[in-house]
Amino acid sequence: MRKQREIPKCSKLKGLRPLLRKDSLIVVRGRLENTHLDENQIHPIVLPAKHKISTLVFEDYHQALLHCGAQILLADVRQCYWLLRGRIMAPSTVTRCINCVRARPRFETPLMAHLPKQRVQMSRPFTTTGVDFAGPLQIQSGICRITTKKAWIAVFVCFVTKAIHLEPVVGLTIEAFLAALRRFMARRGKITKI
């Protein structure tokens, strides 16, 4: 660049349209020249990828930003500097930080228990059933459909086939549930276990 020659095509600087400042620093020529930003933000200084200065800049910003993550670190460093291969250096700085490694929680996956007999042995559908309620729902009734009533849905789930059966329930009383249970058993057969 000092000899006013063109940058080789294989160079990583070619796509950045670099500019050599008077103090012999290479800066990125961006598209923000007409803004009122700081000079370092308009033309960030280019730093090499695997250099001690680049590593120190990342570590300093990481500590100044209170051990932030890799994306925040890279975004803040790029306010003043343009690091070649910065997307690789930011995560490696975070993973090399001792405080971040100690603070990172380790999750252990729990061991799964054996499935109960009712879930894995073949039987008639809805022999073993689970029950749950969904709602409330607003139902309009009457001649002009002006009055609304609350209603619920009883959800019966077969443990073997995972089939579901839905029954409307008019309230959360024992009588309403027993009526829905009777209608369910009249259609699906007698239940062994709920």
Side-chain angles (χ1 to χ4, degrees), residues 77-108:
V77 167
R78 281 190 175 166
Q79 295 286 325
C80 294
Y81 303 102
W82 187 269
L83 275 99
L84 301 174
R85 300 183 66 186
R87 290 186 184 179
I88 297 170
M89 289 205 49
S92 68
T93 303
V94 174
T95 55
R96 278 187 280 118
C97 178
I98 295 170
N99 293 337
C100 293
V101 170
R102 286 182 182 165
R104 188 177 300 125
R106 292 189 183 119
F107 299 106
E108 293 188 21

Side-chain angles (χ1 to χ4, degrees), residues 169 173-185:
V169 182
T173 61
I174 295 172
E175 294 81 18
F177 172 71
L178 290 176
L181 184 61
R182 277 192 214 100
R183 290 192 305 271
F184 168 73
M185 286 197 299

Side-chain angles (χ1 to χ4, degrees), residues 32-46:
L32 302 173
E33 292 184 14
N34 295 327
T35 61
H36 299 292
L37 295 173
D38 186 36
E39 184 65 29
N40 287 339
Q41 288 181 331
I42 296 172
H43 300 293
I45 300 169
V46 177

